[in-house]
Amino acid sequence: MAAAEKISTRLSQEQIEQFWRDGYATVENAVTSDQLAALRRELAGWVDASRTETKPFGAPTIDGRPRFDMGAEHTAERPALRRVNNPSDISPAYRDVMENSAVVDMVSDLIGPNVKFHHCKINVKLPGSNTEVGYHQDFPYTPHTNDDIVTALLMLDDMTLENGCLTVVPGSHRGPLYSLFEKDVFVGSIDAKTTAKLKAQEIPVTGKAGSVCLMHTRLVHGSDANRSKANRGLYICVYSAADAFPLAANPLPNPNEGKVVRGEKSRQARLMDAVVELPAQAKVASFFATQGQKSAGG
């Protein structure tokens, strides 16, 4: 008889304390092997489909943008698919993980029993692609009435130092909210001088496929390009406490926005004491373009 599959279902007290102290916690075996295999299989099909495309493509999302985005270096021989917008809209496998996986239970361990879904995406770094993520916090992209918001980054592949792993600044979620504007233009990343100071404190986040990094919405993070021969994919789902309500339009609107995935909805908005800069993100194929990285065909 095969050994029973070991899946993490809830967070330990140590993991909860790490999240609130450092702004993140990484948990192995966050989804079943069948769930992971289904996600990887679907993504591989989308990568193959991108080979015949020369610009962002796919049936549009509900706000009219292409579902799939590739970097300017994209070719049929070396595809550079870098973003799938709200894959849970089009894939039962991705919707199942978004709604029903143990990841959602872990999120409720952090921000309470009543949890809402906000949006999701896949960020992909294929070998030879130039995709990188400039330093930023998620909250200025998606400000809410309070910051009980968790970004769950599920590793679809092993995430290593060589293939462009996530880097974070521990404890930065307890610090200031940084502007993502350059003068009057929303550029989606922190200014170069501040970034240099923050990067001096950064640490890498690595892990095996099937692990999840649970990240506080205010944690400063980014990542470098993939310099290896291995894929690096992340399925990223954003969840909030039920009493956290958006202060700005969803950068990736979807039919499931606000869906209660654990517990009950709230009629009350909980307000935190803060001054929040509102985003002004242009409607582009993905936030990589907002940060100055052109899309294929652009």
Side-chain angles (χ1 to χ4, degrees):
M1 178 181 292
E5 187 173 11
K6 184 178 180 181
I7 299 296
S8 300
T9 55
R10 309 304 295 231
L11 297 180
S12 67
Q13 186 60 36
E14 181 179 3
Q15 289 167 327
I16 293 171
E17 290 173 358
Q18 182 198 353
F19 175 87
W20 291 111
R21 180 186 68 243
D22 297 336
Y24 74 101
T26 302
V27 185
E28 296 182 343
N29 302 314
V31 293
T32 69
S33 57
D34 287 344
Q35 286 175 320
L36 180 61
L39 300 180
R40 289 166 58 98
R41 189 162 53 245
E42 193 106 63
L43 179 55
W46 291 330
V47 171
D48 282 343
S50 76
R51 293 177 185 274
T52 61
E53 305 292 338
T54 58
K55 61 182 180 180
F57 72 101
T61 61
I62 64 172
D63 67 341
R65 79 185 73 199
R67 183 74 58 179
F68 304 97
D69 180 41
M70 303 93 75
E73 70 275 21
H74 174 79
T75 64
E77 296 75 25
R78 300 195 74 175
L81 182 71
R82 62 186 183 180
R83 164 62 67 83
V84 183
N85 294 315
N86 282 308
S88 65
D89 291 359
I90 60 173
S91 164
Y94 279 89
R95 180 160 181 168
D96 174 57
V97 169
M98 178 272 282
E99 292 182 333
N100 302 317
S101 73
V103 171
V104 192
D105 298 315
M106 297 177 200
V107 171
S108 71
D109 288 339
L110 295 171
I111 58 174
N114 303 318
V115 177
K116 293 186 300 191
F117 171 76
H118 190 258
H119 75 271
C120 66
K121 62 253 186 178
I122 306 171
N123 283 355
V124 189
K125 295 181 183 180
L126 297 174
S129 68
N130 297 328
T131 300
E132 56 187 27
V133 177
Y135 257 39
H136 68 284
Q137 296 161 301
D138 288 348
F139 192 76
Y141 277 95
T142 57
H144 281 61
T145 57
N146 67 72
D147 59 9
D148 274 351
I149 305 170
V150 176
T151 303
L153 304 100
L154 179 67
M155 302 175 199
L156 302 178
D157 307 292
D158 292 352
M159 192 162 69
T160 69
L161 295 174
E162 294 75 26
N163 69 1
C165 69
L166 176 73
T167 57
V168 302
V169 180
S172 55
H173 65 301
R174 293 182 275 108
L177 286 168
Y178 295 98
S179 177
L180 302 185
F181 282 79
E182 185 176 296
K183 296 184 178 179
D184 292 331
V185 179
F186 186 81
V187 295
S189 56
I190 300 169
D191 70 272
K193 184 177 180 180
T194 304
T195 291
K197 293 179 180 178
L198 291 166
K199 284 183 73 69
Q201 307 167 54
E202 75 178 13
I203 65 168
V205 177
T206 60
K208 294 291 187 181
S211 301
V212 67
C213 177
L214 303 167
M215 188 176 69
H216 193 280
T217 186
R218 293 176 61 149
L219 188 73
V220 175
H221 63 285
S223 63
D224 293 329
N226 183 352
R227 302 305 181 198
S228 76
K229 296 181 179 180
N231 295 349
R232 198 233 68 178
L234 286 174
Y235 178 33
I236 304 170
C237 293
V238 178
Y239 302 95
S240 75
D243 60 2
F245 288 86
L247 297 174
N250 193 329
L252 288 177
N254 64 91
N256 295 308
E257 180 182 351
K259 178 181 176 64
V260 175
V261 290
R262 291 294 183 275
E264 302 176 346
K265 66 180 181 180
S266 175
R267 292 183 298 168
Q268 298 176 323
R270 179 162 46 92
L271 309 179
M272 68 179 188
D273 184 11
V275 175
V276 178
E277 189 173 56
L278 299 178
Q281 186 176 3
K283 189 174 77 174
V284 290
S286 74
F287 101 123
F288 298 112
T290 301
Q291 290 196 341
Q293 301 171 64
K294 290 184 178 180
S295 294

